[in-house]
Every structure is written in C-alpha cells, then in structure tokens.
Amino acid sequence: MENETNRILETAMKIILAAGNAREQIQSAMAGMGAYNFSAAEEHLAQAKEYISEAHTAQTETIQGEARGEVIPFSLLFTHAQDHLMTVISEHQTAKNLLTVFRSLDQRISELENK
C-alpha cells in the first residue's frame, strides 16, 4: 500500500506542477493581451495548453488505472491537484475567449481611428 500511496502523491505533485506552470503562462498571456501583443498571448496560451495536457494525462492515467481495478488510495493532495487542474482549464478557456474579444475591440478601434 505504501507504493500506491507514494505513486498517487507523485502523480498529484506532477499535476499541481504542470497546472501551476499553465497558470503562469495564462497570466503571461493576459499581460500580453493588456499590452495588445496578441501574438505573444497566443504563444503563452499554446504553452499553457501543453502543460494542461501533461497534467490531464497524469490524471487520466490514474483514473483509468482505478477503472481497471488498481487500488488507488484516497489522497487529499490528489483531490486538490484535480481541483487545481480544473480551475486552470477554466482560466485557459476564459483567456482564449478574452483574446478573441481583445482582438475584436482592437480591430474596431483601429478602423474607427482610420476613418
């Protein structure tokens, strides 16, 4: 049981680290949007997506293991990691939507300035 506990804790930390890296990239993307640097924002969001995928893969492997009958001990840290990942996924989607809005507003302002 100790090996399973260590494995779930390692997986939880992997998820938390990757999700934290994704959040950092999302914050950089938001800063890019605020500076009207949309290409930089896109790059940061793409990097965030890679970190999210890494975290999601670790989570999914654990869930699939349990579905196959592997004993996965309860871990508050793993639950926290899942919550952290879910929040970051939501932040990523919101940032993508904001990028669309910022671009649209920037284009509209540019058109008005050029009249």
Side-chain angles (χ1 to χ4, degrees):
M1 188 66 159
E2 187 176 330
N3 285 341
E4 291 87 1
T5 300
N6 287 339
R7 190 172 68 221
I8 195 72
L9 294 178
E10 287 175 16
T11 301
M13 291 308 298
K14 183 187 294 186
I15 293 168
I16 290 168
L17 180 62
N21 288 338
R23 177 170 279 145
E24 185 177 306
Q25 291 297 317
I26 292 165
Q27 292 302 314
S28 294
M30 297 290 278
M33 286 181 234
Y36 299 96
N37 188 344
F38 302 128
S39 60
E42 273 186 341
E43 289 174 25
H44 287 294
L45 288 175
Q47 184 62 50
K49 180 68 173 167
E50 289 182 31
Y51 285 123
I52 288 168
S53 294
E54 181 183 323
H56 191 262
T57 297
Q59 173 187 261
T60 300
E61 288 172 356
T62 302
I63 293 169
Q64 288 175 343
E66 186 171 33
R68 286 190 304 269
E70 292 176 23
V71 176
I72 308 293
F74 173 77
S75 166
L76 186 58
L77 189 62
F78 186 75
T79 302
H80 171 69
Q82 290 180 294
D83 182 51
H84 191 53
L85 175 58
M86 179 181 64
T87 302
V88 169
I89 290 170
S90 179
E91 289 175 6
H92 185 262
Q93 187 61 47
T94 300
K96 283 177 39 180
N97 291 340
L98 283 173
L99 180 57
T100 300
V101 171
F102 270 66
R103 276 196 160 132
S104 176
L105 288 173
D106 186 55
Q107 180 180 354
R108 187 164 181 188
I109 290 168
S110 292
E111 289 170 2
L112 289 171
E113 289 175 340
N114 292 329
K115 281 189 175 188

